[in-house]
Amino acid sequence: MAAVIPASRRLRNLLTCRLTARTNLGLSLNLHPLSSFAQDEPSKAAPEEAPGHSYESLRVTSAQKHILHVQLNRPEKRNAMNKAFWSEMVVCFNKIAEDADCRAVVISGAGKMFTSGIDFVDMASGLLQPAGDDVARISWHLHSLLSRYQETFSVIEKCPKPVIGAIHGGCIGAGVDLITACDIRYCTQDASFQVKEVDLGLAADVGTLQRLPRVIGNQSLVNELAFTARKMMADEALDCGLVRGRGELFSDRRLQMPFILSRVFPDKEVMLDAAFALAAEISSKSPVAVQSTKINLLYSRDHSVTDSLNFMKSWNMSMLQTEDVVKSLQALMEKKELKTITFSKL
């Protein structure tokens, strides 16, 4: 280890000299992306079950190198969220957060829709007949219960790996709580979104009312959706910014030609291909850089600019010392694609 550090410093010094020399000669660094996975042919090999992930309500597979695919896996129940789901999501994403080999996650629903929300048949007893001898004790129990349910989706946000939500069909009730905790959202043309809770006599309490206004930046629209429980279709979700909205060149092998897509896709297969392509692009980058970026974006969302800049200084005074900076700059200078560079696990 003692020999590695001086060697690293020598390499940094060499790179600094070369970069400085290029700049002094009037050459500018072109920092455009070094690779474009969006046009790569997606692999259709059968996905492997991810080791250590065995659940009743979820299916986790290794979609591609460094990419995990988490599926809500109760298609016969329209992926309704039963008792097992609320604890399994926490276990699943805590494991993903600690998985040094994982760099990006895609979450989707099996079957005909993303999710129908809470499985009230399975959950009714705990919600409608809470334990406790009096109002204080019942309230204490419900407070603890709601804290655990909120963590089911907060754990997605807390996971340092970028999470891409891929939504098809209905995304109802708690499904909206889930996707607002994701970092990026794609959807199909048949997707619809519904903050359903007021139709059930309650207020949404596990994330939608807190995250949706920040996601779309339109409090009036959030109020309308939450007060009325009306459906918001894919086009409106795209227009308001709930799902990704920039057109991009994408290749559909079934059409054998490239075409321009927004982030609303014609069907589930094309959407998942795009989601995995995006995840592959993200996973080709330095995991130190990507995970540091997510952590600082979330911190900045909840703090002032000054506080966030101070947090960034404290964060990067150590992260800037990573070997990933050296490797990335060296690849840039040698005109190599980042997908050919091996970054250490994190």
Side-chain angles (χ1 to χ4, degrees):
M1 179 62 72
V4 172
I5 296 175
S8 169
R9 288 174 179 167
R10 287 196 298 272
L11 182 54
R12 284 177 181 274
N13 292 336
L14 176 60
L15 284 170
T16 301
C17 290
R18 291 177 65 182
L19 287 170
T20 303
R22 290 187 175 207
T23 304
N24 290 340
L25 288 172
L27 299 177
S28 60
L29 291 174
N30 185 353
L31 296 179
H32 293 301
L34 297 178
S35 61
S36 178
F37 285 87
Q39 298 183 46
D40 288 350
E41 180 83 8
S43 172
K44 282 298 172 185
E48 298 179 1
E49 294 287 344
H53 289 279
S54 179
Y55 307 107
E56 174 187 325
S57 66
L58 304 172
R59 182 170 184 256
V60 182
T61 56
S62 299
Q64 299 176 28
K65 185 179 181 181
H66 301 311
I67 301 169
L68 289 179
H69 184 195
V70 178
Q71 287 180 283
L72 281 60
N73 194 36
R74 300 183 72 215
E76 73 287 353
K77 298 291 185 181
R78 300 191 302 166
N79 295 322
M81 301 171 180
N82 61 355
K83 290 178 182 177
F85 168 85
W86 296 90
S87 58
E88 288 180 343
M89 279 285 288
V90 176
V91 173
C92 175
F93 274 89
N94 280 336
K95 286 183 178 180
I96 290 174
E98 298 298 323
D99 184 351
D101 200 45
C102 176
R103 297 183 184 174
V105 182
V106 173
I107 184 166
S108 69
K112 296 182 178 180
M113 67 186 300
F114 185 73
T115 178
S116 57
I118 292 177
D119 186 341
F120 277 101
V121 174
D122 192 53
M123 303 284 289
S125 60
L127 294 173
L128 302 180
Q129 297 176 323
D133 297 330
D134 57 24
V135 171
R137 287 168 175 81
I138 292 173
S139 298
W140 198 271
H141 172 77
L142 283 174
H143 184 277
S144 175
L145 191 68
L146 289 172
S147 294
R148 294 199 299 272
Y149 290 166
Q150 289 175 354
E151 183 64 15
T152 297
F153 303 131
S154 293
V155 73
I156 299 173
E157 193 172 74
K158 293 175 182 177
C159 177
K161 320 300 170 70
V163 181
I164 303 164
I167 304 103
H168 76 289
C171 178
I172 301 170
V176 180
D177 295 284
L178 188 160
I179 65 165
T180 55
C182 295
D183 301 297
I184 300 167
R185 287 160 294 277
Y186 284 179
C187 78
T188 57
Q189 290 177 346
D190 70 345
S192 63
F193 305 85
Q194 194 171 12
V195 184
K196 185 69 173 174
E197 283 80 357
V198 291
D199 279 352
L200 305 174
L202 54 91
D205 53 12
V206 289
T208 291
L209 301 186
Q210 293 70 38
R211 295 189 177 99
L212 187 57
R214 297 172 185 268
V215 169
I216 68 174
N218 186 331
Q219 188 67 54
S220 178
L221 177 58
V222 172
N223 293 348
E224 179 189 336
L225 295 171
F227 293 160
T228 66
R230 76 165 175 84
K231 286 185 180 181
M232 178 167 64
M233 306 309 292
D235 289 345
E236 186 179 3
L238 174 64
D239 186 58
C240 76
L242 178 60
V243 296
R244 181 75 170 85
R246 178 176 62 83
E248 183 174 320
L249 189 65
F250 188 79
S251 177
D252 186 342
R253 67 187 180 286
R254 293 173 301 174
L255 300 178
Q256 297 297 314
M257 63 180 292
F259 60 98
I260 299 297
L261 286 176
S262 70
R263 302 295 81 184
V264 173
F265 297 90
D267 58 45
K268 182 180 179 181
E269 182 182 0
V270 176
M271 174 187 65
L272 285 175
D273 283 348
F276 289 132
L278 175 63
E281 179 73 24
I282 292 169
S283 67
S284 73
K285 315 297 184 184
S286 155
V288 173
V290 171
Q291 294 178 42
S292 294
T293 297
K294 176 172 179 175
I295 289 168
N296 277 275
L297 282 171
L298 288 171
Y299 187 93
S300 297
R301 182 195 67 184
D302 300 329
H303 296 80
S304 70
V305 172
T306 299
D307 288 344
S308 300
L309 287 171
N310 287 332
F311 182 81
M312 187 75 249
K313 286 187 293 186
S314 298
W315 184 271
N316 253 13
M317 69 183 187
S318 55
M319 295 300 125
L320 284 174
Q321 300 179 60
T322 176
E323 287 301 300
D324 292 9
V325 173
V326 177
K327 291 179 178 180
S328 298
L329 287 174
Q330 190 171 16
L332 179 68
M333 293 168 57
E334 296 175 359
K335 298 183 179 180
K336 293 181 179 179
E337 293 188 348
L338 280 184
K339 65 181 179 180
T340 66
I341 305 303
T342 302
F343 294 108
S344 299
K345 295 180 179 181
L346 180 63

